[in-house]
Amino acid sequence: MIRLKRALVFTLLHGAALVRKALLATPRSEQFLRPGFEPLLWRIGTWRLWFAAEQARKHVPAYQQLLSEHGNPQVRIRRLVPDFSAFPITDKASYVLRFSTEERCRHGQIPPRGVVIDESSGTSGRPNNWVRGPEERADVRKLLQL
């Protein structure tokens, strides 16, 4: 049953990603950030998190290692709502400082093109780098415009 729910949600996510791209490309995309859409946006956000976690589990060496150290937790589903409570928290100390930038990328490599490496301000004492791909940069740019 969980596999069926997962397949359903991930299929919906692929469709939602296409709709999201189309909506963000429209001049009136800010309508969806107005009050009233929060429950829908929250649900889609949790599904996107689930999908991202599964992709990281498959492709990101640092995340694979972290999950392995915590017994390879699985997402539990309750009425199509993912429960991440069994997952370890990934914060600066337990993840960012522990693993290299490359280990935190897909397949353990910084992509050869189309990415930007951003650096934090270092207000905590040490700046950190993270990789942003073209899609994430476009999303951030559009959201900042809104």
Side-chain angles (χ1 to χ4, degrees):
M1 186 64 157
I2 288 179
R3 286 185 184 192
L4 178 62
K5 288 179 182 179
R6 177 182 166 177
L8 173 64
V9 167
F10 287 3
T11 300
L12 289 172
L13 275 175
H14 285 294
L18 296 173
V19 170
R20 184 171 157 267
K21 284 182 183 180
L23 289 174
L24 284 175
T26 65
R28 299 184 52 115
S29 56
E30 72 275 358
Q31 294 176 32
F32 298 98
L33 297 177
R34 291 188 180 154
F37 286 97
E38 294 93 347
L40 174 63
L41 295 174
W42 185 263
R43 176 66 52 93
I44 291 171
T46 59
W47 290 347
R48 287 182 68 204
L49 173 60
W50 184 16
F51 184 73
E54 291 302 317
Q55 291 298 303
R57 179 192 302 273
K58 290 178 186 176
H59 304 291
V60 179
Y63 200 63
Q64 290 170 349
Q65 183 176 336
L66 187 70
L67 291 181
S68 174
E69 292 168 359
H70 287 85
N72 286 312
Q74 300 296 317
V75 173
R76 290 181 287 234
I77 312 300
R78 293 190 184 103
R79 289 176 284 172
L80 290 179
V81 177
D83 174 9
F84 301 99
S85 61
F87 278 63
I89 293 174
T90 54
D91 58 14
K92 193 172 185 179
S94 69
Y95 193 71
V96 177
L97 295 177
R98 184 170 169 211
F99 298 101
S100 70
T101 301
E102 291 83 1
E103 290 173 304
R104 292 182 280 126
C105 289
R106 280 180 169 263
H107 311 294
Q109 299 176 346
I110 297 174
R113 61 183 176 279
V115 299
V116 169
I117 298 178
D118 286 331
E119 185 173 72
S120 68
S121 63
T123 55
S124 65
R126 177 178 168 195
N128 294 287
N129 295 328
W130 65 95
V131 177
R132 291 188 195 264
E135 187 173 314
E136 183 181 4
R137 290 187 354 254
D139 283 353
V140 169
R141 187 171 36 256
K142 181 65 177 183
L143 289 171
L144 288 172
Q145 289 172 354
L146 295 174

